[in-house]
Amino acid sequence: MSLLQNEADFEVVGQVFEGNQVLISILKNSPNLVLLDANLPNRNGKELAEAIRRDFPNVKIVILTMYDESQLVKEFKKLGVDGYILKNSTKNELLEGIRTVIEGQPFFDPKLSENSQQPTLVDDEFIKKFSLTPREIEMIRMIRDGLSSQDIADKSNLSLLTVKTHRRNIHFKLKTETTADLIRFANENGI
């Protein structure tokens, strides 16, 4: 969790290592979001997700796990979790997922097996090839439509800093340097 403590827009209010401490910690610390391991000692992640959803309906739940199994993802989705991120994600992917959930959108790791992903408007192969998140694809569309970073921030209820971070990540992933390059990419790929 040290990587989260270094982020200005996050505050880590608690950390536990056993399943039977999770609900107590939520009651004590009132977090907005719980990053929950699917496999904790004493109490499993599914049971905990169900209890959190029932007892703390306003707390967002992001599952952090090494399990890329479509059945498990479906079960967690059915329990109403807000996100599912694989442990082999980079720091930026993890932060992207958490920020997306905090902003009110679900986030299911783009690296999940095809049949465990939620359907997207863009082809799964395309997403895998460029490692773009649904949020980044949405942002590319807004850039293509001529919106400035401030316009995107206003429209998406994001901070300007978050939008600039997304733009930097998009340019890095697509190896583009200018907005014109990005618009050309969007047009060539039908985004």
Side-chain angles (χ1 to χ4, degrees), residues 29-41:
N29 298 303
S30 302
N32 295 323
L33 180 142
V34 171
L35 202 52
L36 183 65
D37 194 318
N39 192 17
L40 281 169

Side-chain angles (χ1 to χ4, degrees), residues 90-165:
T90 65
K91 175 184 174 180
N92 284 342
E93 289 167 337
L94 176 63
L95 295 174
E96 161 78 11
I98 293 171
R99 287 187 176 112
T100 299
V101 168
I102 287 172
E103 292 158 7
Q105 299 293 318
F107 183 90
F108 289 82
D109 200 314
K111 295 184 299 300
L112 289 169
S113 300
E114 256 182 68
N115 57 356
S116 62
Q117 269 291 14
Q118 292 181 319
T120 60
L121 298 176
V122 178
D123 184 72
D124 277 348
E125 288 306 311
F126 178 87
I127 289 173
K128 284 179 187 170
K129 181 178 177 184
F130 294 104
S131 300
L132 293 168
T133 66
R135 167 73 69 174
E136 288 167 341
I137 290 169
E138 178 188 344
M139 207 155 284
I140 292 170
R141 288 180 178 138
M142 288 190 269
I143 294 166
R144 181 206 59 208
D145 293 342
L147 274 66
S148 69
S149 291
Q150 187 60 60
D151 294 335
I152 294 169
D154 295 341
K155 186 173 181 174
S156 305
N157 292 321
L158 299 172
S159 72
L160 185 58
L161 178 65
T162 300
V163 171
K164 286 181 177 179
T165 301

